[in-house]
């Protein structure tokens, strides 16, 4: 029995239709909050579970300091190339020349040391200048000539590949390389590969630039809506141009590190990094900041792919699985990033 004043016979308030209706939006908010948490940290959780699976299944091979140190050292180049791919991607431009720029800077540095006997510092500076110059050309063709970024960078990658093959005659440079550079690529300090002490600060600086500075906010605005960005006073051409320059700079550093890690300046190394780098760049949009390309997400993606390939290899899987895994990761990553991007716009 209830009274006419909305209370039960015991005097306690009676649930009303308004209260029940108000509970529905509250439940909806909790569900949306849970979904956002899954979107932000689901990929990281998957990485932890994958790592734990291989660690339990392969404790004598996978879970050793030597193997894990090699995995970290071997990804030093890829994390930088992935970051290089992310920078123009934030501005809604796909750069397909990052692998070729990596190969070019590596060959330039190797040639400067081997053929001309230049000191390591000079060789590195020249390599970075040449690689960054290519990024400047890419940016000018996209912003000033109005050519589609995919066409520009795809053509540039082909041009660079041809020039590298012509200059080196298809031969790797192995003689005359700086021993200091090679020791840096294979050495470790405090049990951590020395290359980590270079790429980690670079990625932190890139993350700060893209996430916590006016330039980063401008680049994100350009990527979201170029016309709207121009209307609010953003210099779209300058913002996009610098994104290609920064991308090429990161790829050039990766090229020098590739020489340090492999002890050779190879004319064919660059293209091998393009597919994994793009996979990691697109996968970054499914971690930490759903629907947004971000540096921490790309690092997680690189090591997710690396741990997967390493664990599968130690399990006895055929070598061709690497290419299949990278291709599948790229397809899945591109799909997930598009879906999350649309959901982000609908909020």
């Amino acid at each position: 029995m209830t009274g006419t004043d909305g209370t039960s016979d015991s005097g306690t308030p009676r649930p009303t239709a308004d209260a029940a209706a108000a509970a529905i939006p509250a439940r909806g908010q909790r569900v949306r909050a849970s979904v956002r948490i899954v979107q932000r940290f689901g990929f990281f959780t998957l990485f932890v579970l994958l790592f734990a699976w291989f660690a339990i299944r392969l404790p004598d091979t996978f879970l050793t300091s030597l193997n894990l140190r090699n995995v970290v050292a071997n990804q030093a180049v890829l994390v930088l190339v992935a970051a290089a791919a992310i920078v123009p991607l934030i501005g809604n431009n796909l750069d397909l020349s990052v692998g070729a720029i990596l190969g070019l800077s590596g060959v330039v540095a190797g040639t400067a040391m081997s053929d001309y006997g230049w000191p390591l510092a000079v060789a590195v500076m020249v390599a970075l200048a040449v690689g960054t110059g290519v990024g400047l050309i890419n940016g000018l063709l996209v912003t000033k000539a109005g050519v589609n970024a995919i066409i520009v960078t795809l053509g540039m990658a082909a041009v660079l590949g041809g020039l590298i093959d012509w200059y080196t005659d298809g031969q790797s440079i192995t003689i005359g390389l700086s021993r200091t550079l090679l020791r840096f690529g294979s050495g470790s300090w405090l049990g951590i590969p020395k290359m980590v002490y270079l790429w980690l600060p670079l990625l932190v600086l890139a993350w700060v630039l893209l996430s916590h500075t006016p330039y980063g906010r401008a680049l994100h605005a350009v990527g979201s809506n170029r016309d709207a960005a121009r209307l609010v006073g953003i210099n779209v051409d300058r913002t996009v141009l610098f994104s290609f320059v920064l991308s090429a700079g990161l790829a050039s550093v990766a090229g020098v590190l590739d020489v340090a890690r492999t002890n050779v300046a190879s004319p064919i190394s660059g293209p091998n990094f393009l597919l994994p780098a793009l996979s990691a760049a697109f996968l970054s949009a499914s971690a930490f900041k759903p629907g947004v390309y971000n540096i921490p997400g790309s690092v997680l993606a690189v090591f997710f792919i690396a741990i997967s390939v390493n664990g599968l290899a130690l399990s006895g899987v055929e070598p061709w699985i690497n290419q299949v895994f990278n291709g599948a990761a790229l397809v899945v990553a591109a799909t997930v990033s598009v879906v999350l991007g649309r959901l982000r716009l609908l909020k």
Side-chain angles (χ1 to χ4, degrees):
M1 295 290 293
T2 58
T4 58
D5 60 350
T7 59
S8 62
D9 290 340
S10 61
T12 58
R14 180 183 64 178
T16 64
D18 291 340
I24 296 177
R27 287 195 297 269
Q29 291 178 358
R30 287 195 295 269
V31 170
R32 286 193 293 271
S34 300
V35 170
R36 285 194 293 269
I37 292 174
V38 171
Q39 288 178 340
R40 291 187 63 185
F41 301 106
F43 188 31
F44 177 76
T45 303
L46 181 61
F47 172 82
V48 172
L49 293 175
L50 179 72
F51 186 93
W53 164 256
F54 284 126
I56 294 172
R57 191 168 181 269
L58 305 167
D60 297 329
T61 52
F62 176 81
L63 198 62
T64 63
S65 59
L66 177 61
N67 181 61
L68 296 179
R69 189 162 54 246
N70 284 335
V71 170
V72 172
N74 289 337
Q75 305 314 309
V77 178
L78 184 54
V79 291
L80 286 175
V81 187
I86 279 181
V87 178
L89 201 57
I90 290 175
N92 201 27
N93 291 296
L94 184 61
D95 189 344
L96 298 177
S97 66
V98 289
I101 294 174
L102 179 154
L104 175 67
S105 61
V107 168
V108 169
T111 300
M113 289 181 283
S114 179
D115 293 352
Y116 299 98
W118 290 355
L120 173 61
V122 176
V124 171
M125 290 177 62
V126 171
L128 296 182
V130 171
T132 305
V134 173
L136 178 62
I137 295 173
N138 284 341
L140 289 173
L141 289 174
V142 171
T143 58
K144 302 304 181 182
V147 185
N148 183 276
I150 295 178
I151 302 300
V152 168
T153 56
L154 181 61
M156 183 62 74
V159 170
L160 294 181
L163 291 176
I164 291 171
D165 189 57
W166 163 73
Y167 186 82
T168 62
D169 198 23
Q171 302 299 314
S172 298
I173 301 171
T174 58
I175 300 175
L177 301 179
S178 169
R179 306 310 303 174
T180 301
L181 179 65
L182 303 185
R183 285 194 298 269
F184 176 78
S186 60
S188 61
W189 186 56
L190 300 178
I192 300 175
K194 289 183 178 179
M195 299 179 76
V196 174
Y197 296 101
L198 178 60
W199 65 253
L200 185 57
L202 284 177
L203 291 189
V204 170
L205 289 175
W207 170 70
V208 171
L209 175 65
L210 297 174
S211 302
H212 300 283
T213 66
Y215 172 77
R217 289 189 287 272
L219 185 60
H220 281 282
V222 170
S224 297
N225 191 318
R226 183 167 299 203
D227 293 332
R230 185 175 284 109
L231 289 174
V232 297
I234 294 175
N235 190 324
V236 173
D237 287 349
R238 186 172 59 190
T239 301
V240 172
L241 175 62
F242 185 71
S243 73
F244 281 99
V245 173
L246 178 58
S247 172
L250 290 171
S252 299
V253 175
V256 176
L257 290 185
D258 185 49
V259 176
R261 182 62 184 165
T262 61
N263 296 344
V264 59
S266 173
I268 61 173
S269 65
N272 295 331
F273 286 96
L274 180 60
L275 184 60
L278 291 178
S279 300
F282 281 107
L283 272 173
S284 72
S286 62
F288 304 128
K289 298 181 68 175
V292 178
Y293 304 113
N294 61 92
I295 299 294
S298 71
V299 176
L300 178 63
V302 165
F303 284 102
F304 175 82
I305 296 174
I307 290 296
S308 302
V309 172
N310 178 255
L312 291 173
L314 293 176
S315 300
V317 176
E318 295 293 332
W320 55 263
I321 195 64
N322 292 3
Q323 185 174 355
V324 173
F325 191 90
N326 283 326
L330 177 58
V331 174
V332 172
T335 303
V336 170
S337 66
V338 170
V339 171
L340 291 178
R342 290 175 178 172
L343 291 176
R344 181 169 169 264
L345 291 176
L346 291 175
K347 290 181 181 180

